[in-house]
Amino acid sequence: MNAPSLGWFGIFRLGLVQAAIGSIVVLTTSTMNRIMVVELALPAVIPGALVGLHYAVQFLRPVWGHGSDIAKRRTPWIVGGVLTLAVGATVASASIVVMADQMLLGLAVAVLAFVMIGFGVGAAGTSLLALLAARAEESKRAGAATVVWLMMIAGIAITAITVGKVLDPYSPLRLVAVTAIVGLCALLLTCVALVTLESKTSAVEARYEAPSSRFSGFRGAVAEVWNDETARRFTIFVFVSMLAYSAQDLILEPFSGIIFGFTPGQSTELSGVQHGGVFAGMLLVGFIGSSRIRAGGLGAWSILGCLASSIALLGLAVAAIVGPPWPLSVNVFALGFSNGAFAVAAIGSMMALAKSGRSKSEGVRMGVWGAAQAVAFGLGGFMGTVAVDVVRALSGSTVASYAVAFSLESTLFLASAVLARRLMKEKKKHLEERWLSMGPLAGVQVNKG
């Protein structure tokens, strides 16, 4: 007997958990990053390396995903992940207090904290998406992806606004207290949202199909995913597309200031325009995906989103050359809209492919793809800044540096569209071969030897 599928209320409850995760992460990647650079006058590379570390340890997402596959329930993995994330964020805030007096000790504490943050995000996020993939109906996957992603953005926005008001006047101890309170609230919200969400049926199925050896079972599960040609190609697609998606994160606002003369406030508003575009793109694909299209349609939206993102980035490359006459805000909104459409379609496709694998392997599949995404995010922002610095050093031109960087990112999105197209063709071929392998009687498999 299969576990009951998630209704929209259940999907909304999982979205609350994603919002809780986002509310903690924003403190570590935004607020603490700013404090280290401004209040402590540290080189920007230090918080950048710490954020990169939290992405790097998420390379272990397949381990956590497999653990939730063979466990009785996924809920303990989600709750345990959020708990680890909350504690790690609080320790990270405490490391800032230590840095003020003992820099090396404070940095050592920060390294430990960001490792915990990466563990928490990876364990909770992978298990949450695996649960969503296993229990969301095909017709709801695009909408489910939209809900959980938008609620994560909402959690980030609400926390940023609230913390921004209560953190002043700033003091290191106030930061620790605020972070601890946010972490506690996020943990309580997670626990409340997950109460009775998983059925006893799904727990029985997971126990029954668990392998006898955890280590050999994990190796076998990962090998099965990687040996699946569709899953392997999808992993490559996720890596390349998310590399393109994140490569402009750290260069867009400096670009607007250097080339267009935007003030810090105007650059922040431009970031808001971009996120508004992301929101609109996600809503569009989520709405259409929930009412009319299926997995194949999601693949088409992935391709369209990648192509549109590529064109928008080419527009930014032209903007670097043309300068202020270029409609930068419109261009950035188009980039955000394209990114949002692509992201929802890619996540919906990810859930569909996770569900199509061996029963109870959603966690390890989501883990493999989540690891590819995390590594790509960690490398993307860094590679964007490197491209700008290298081209500027070689050419002596700031305009050329940004034009080349945005053009390279555009090429990555174009390559992603090609990969997505090949995936769609491969899936269609697989379905045709499966149909031809059926005997004259419906449902009878013919042994071809």
Side-chain angles (χ1 to χ4, degrees), residues 6 47 227 241 243 261 270 305 349 393:
L6 283 172
N227 289 332
S241 61
L243 196 66
L270 187 66
S349 299

Side-chain angles (χ1 to χ4, degrees), residues 313-353:
L313 284 165
L314 279 180
L316 290 179
V318 174
I321 300 171
V322 173
W326 190 262
L328 184 61
S329 295
V330 174
N331 198 151
V332 169
F333 180 86
L335 176 62
F337 184 90
S338 305
N339 285 173
F342 146 74
V344 167
I347 295 172
S349 299
M350 190 183 297
M351 290 192 292
L353 284 173

